[in-house]
Amino acid sequence: MAASELTPQPLEGSKPLSALLNGIAQAAYYGNADITEELLRGQLYPESASEEFRALRAKMGGLLQSIASADMDLNQLEAFLTAQTKKQGGITSDQAAVIAKFWKNHRIKIHESLINQSCWDNILKNMNWRVDLKSQSRHVDQINTPVALVEMELGKNGQESEFLCLEFDEAKVSQMLKKLSEIEESMTLLTQTT
Amino acid sequence: AADKINLIPQDFFAELCEQIIQHLNHKIPGVDTAELCQRIQTSGIEINVGDLAKIADVVSFLFSTAARNSLSTEELVTTLGNAVTALPKHAVQVIRHVWNEHGKSISVSEDARNMATLGQFVDIKWKLGVAMSSDTCRSLKYPYVTVMLKVADPSGQITDKSFEMTIPQFKNFFRQFKEMAAVLETV
């Protein structure tokens, strides 16, 4: 960290607030459990008292949570933050500016993280494939036909994976492609109507 | 497994044996134990997929061994009687009948040993949904597709594997299969 960032700043300073928001996001959305309240206070607001800092962290955390939960666009964000500046015990317009800048930079990533957090079924973690020429087979007519060998890693987020190894001949790949086209068509219809 | 066979009604057991024969004849990629089990359960019988799969394995092994040794129906029934004392009469009847009809047609060559070590893709079912909101996010609004792959494992059992994909993940999945098709064509 640069020397200037170590210099204690008044609680309303923009650099520490930006870093604080980052720290809050690390813990809440990016799965970084090491970023504790104590660490943040020591690094960013060392002059502040525990209670004072706790209140600040809670307030900022709450605001970020509201913004993330509603996945606010710029208009909604502006309206929201303006309302917060007018509230009793709300935020200053400097703080509002810092929060706005932070959200603009992190919105997509935080939203993605929230999506992942609510996916509790198996996902396709990875997929590898190669094409072989079958030289031995249970049917004579299958010799020297190309076949795709696909390995799919399936599993739930944060849990052990199952490796599914499948064989696809040309016909099976066509069958798969046909079904995948159907899915794509439906997806297009869906995104057109929303 | 033999005592579980007791639970299966004759017509379902016959269906199971027919599917096993078809699989051994390479007419179908595998035995759909999950689907069959569901129908058996619907008729009121309490049997789980695991048990049915074990029974299918045993019967499959029985038939393929018999085919390899070119056993006649009587020889098969005798061997069965010696090996498994607790088989219910109706099961033996079914095995006898199925073997009479189809025993000769099972072609067992060295390929019984060259079994595929990979599963076979059978079919894919899909469903498109939109996750609207959750306890951590009121405005999720993301579409995702849930896919159910029907897969025949090397032993011939058909199982279902399901997983979810977001739109970008799906696009990548689709792209990979298109690439596969292109390569298969050029090889």
Side-chain angles (χ1 to χ4, degrees):
Chain A
M1 278 178 52
S4 59
E5 288 173 82
L6 293 173
T7 317
Q9 308 244 350
L11 275 180
E12 289 86 39
S14 68
K15 269 209 189 98
L17 179 58
S18 188
L20 174 62
L21 290 170
N22 213 324
I24 293 171
Q26 284 291 325
Y29 306 111
Y30 303 147
N32 199 336
D34 293 332
I35 311 287
T36 61
E37 194 168 289
E38 254 318 291
L39 179 77
L40 289 175
R41 187 181 75 83
Q43 293 267 302
L44 306 172
Y45 297 88
E47 295 286 293
S48 69
S50 260
E51 264 317 298
E52 209 183 355
F53 177 73
R54 178 166 307 150
L56 176 69
R57 193 205 179 288
K59 179 152 78 175
M60 292 302 148
L63 289 175
L64 190 54
Q65 198 176 332
S66 297
I67 297 170
S69 185
D71 193 28
M72 290 186 192
D73 60 27
L74 294 182
N75 289 330
Q76 293 168 312
L77 184 68
E78 201 184 310
F80 177 73
L81 290 175
T82 308
Q84 291 297 318
T85 57
K86 299 203 161 74
K87 259 171 67 166
Q88 179 77 269
I91 56 178
T92 66
S93 48
D94 281 343
Q95 287 175 322
V98 173
I99 296 170
K101 183 160 173 220
F102 179 82
W103 181 243
K104 278 179 206 157
N105 288 332
H106 288 255
R107 179 185 179 187
I108 291 178
K109 222 171 141 201
I110 290 181
H111 194 67
E112 251 172 44
S113 161
L114 286 169
I115 287 174
N116 283 334
Q117 279 179 30
S118 54
C119 179
W120 308 307
D121 286 322
N122 283 333
I123 57 168
L124 180 64
K125 293 184 187 176
N126 201 11
M127 180 169 135
N128 294 309
W129 60 273
R130 70 167 199 264
V131 170
D132 275 8
L133 267 185
K134 247 184 150 95
S135 57
Q136 255 193 339
S137 160
R138 56 176 57 167
H139 295 292
V140 176
D141 57 323
Q142 272 185 26
I143 289 181
N144 283 334
T145 50
V147 71
L149 308 177
V150 180
E151 180 190 75
M152 297 190 216
E153 185 183 351
L154 301 179
K156 306 195 181 168
N157 272 326
Q159 286 183 22
E160 238 177 73
S161 303
E162 176 193 351
F163 287 86
L164 193 61
C165 303
L166 300 177
E167 227 178 58
F168 286 79
D169 61 18
E170 231 172 317
K172 292 272 160 79
V173 173
S174 292
Q175 183 188 349
M176 176 67 97
L177 285 177
K178 183 157 170 287
K179 286 291 178 94
L180 296 181
S181 293
E182 282 173 18
I183 299 176
E184 192 181 46
E185 239 179 78
S186 280
M187 270 188 179
T188 312
L189 275 176
L190 182 68
T191 48
Q192 272 174 5
T193 54
T194 47
Chain B
D3 50 322
K4 291 283 161 63
I5 295 186
N6 272 317
L7 298 172
I8 310 178
Q10 187 167 20
D11 48 354
F12 281 121
F13 186 66
E15 212 188 310
L16 177 65
C17 290
E18 295 276 343
Q19 273 197 45
I20 290 172
I21 293 283
Q22 282 190 318
H23 167 60
L24 290 173
N25 271 333
H26 312 302
K27 295 230 173 62
I28 57 174
V31 178
D32 202 338
T33 36
E35 194 267 337
L36 185 61
C37 189
Q38 201 165 35
R39 277 191 286 129
I40 296 177
Q41 283 170 344
T42 310
S43 76
I45 313 284
E46 272 184 48
I47 186 170
N48 64 53
V49 185
D51 287 333
L52 191 62
K54 282 202 193 100
I55 293 171
D57 274 344
V58 167
V59 175
S60 185
F61 177 71
L62 179 74
F63 283 148
S64 56
T65 309
R68 225 183 326 222
N69 294 309
S70 306
L71 294 185
S72 70
T73 311
E74 283 319 309
E75 284 170 325
L76 173 59
V77 174
T78 313
T79 316
L80 205 54
N82 293 340
V84 191
T85 50
L87 261 194
K89 241 204 183 103
H90 71 260
V92 179
Q93 243 181 326
V94 168
I95 290 174
R96 179 198 294 272
H97 173 78
V98 167
W99 193 250
N100 255 339
E101 296 276 307
H102 305 288
K104 308 258 178 323
S105 68
I106 300 184
S107 56
V108 185
S109 48
E110 318 84 58
D111 65 37
R113 268 163 284 166
N114 291 344
M115 265 181 35
T117 49
L118 296 187
Q120 299 280 323
F121 164 74
V122 176
D123 197 13
I124 171 176
K125 293 206 270 240
W126 59 271
K127 174 175 83 182
L128 182 61
V130 179
M132 293 305 288
S133 81
S134 75
D135 60 325
T136 48
C137 183
R138 293 294 186 266
S139 183
L140 271 179
K141 286 203 217 135
Y142 79 90
Y144 65 96
V145 59
T146 308
V147 147
M148 177 79 94
L149 288 183
K150 248 186 170 26
V151 166
D153 70 22
S155 73
Q157 307 273 4
I158 295 189
T159 50
D160 290 331
K161 307 274 183 209
S162 76
F163 57 93
E164 276 181 25
M165 287 186 274
T166 59
I167 293 192
Q169 289 169 343
F170 167 76
K171 287 197 154 103
N172 180 48
F173 188 70
F174 197 1
R175 187 181 48 83
Q176 303 237 41
F177 275 94
K178 284 185 194 160
E179 279 176 22
M180 235 181 272
V183 174
L184 281 170
E185 228 178 302
T186 56
V187 165

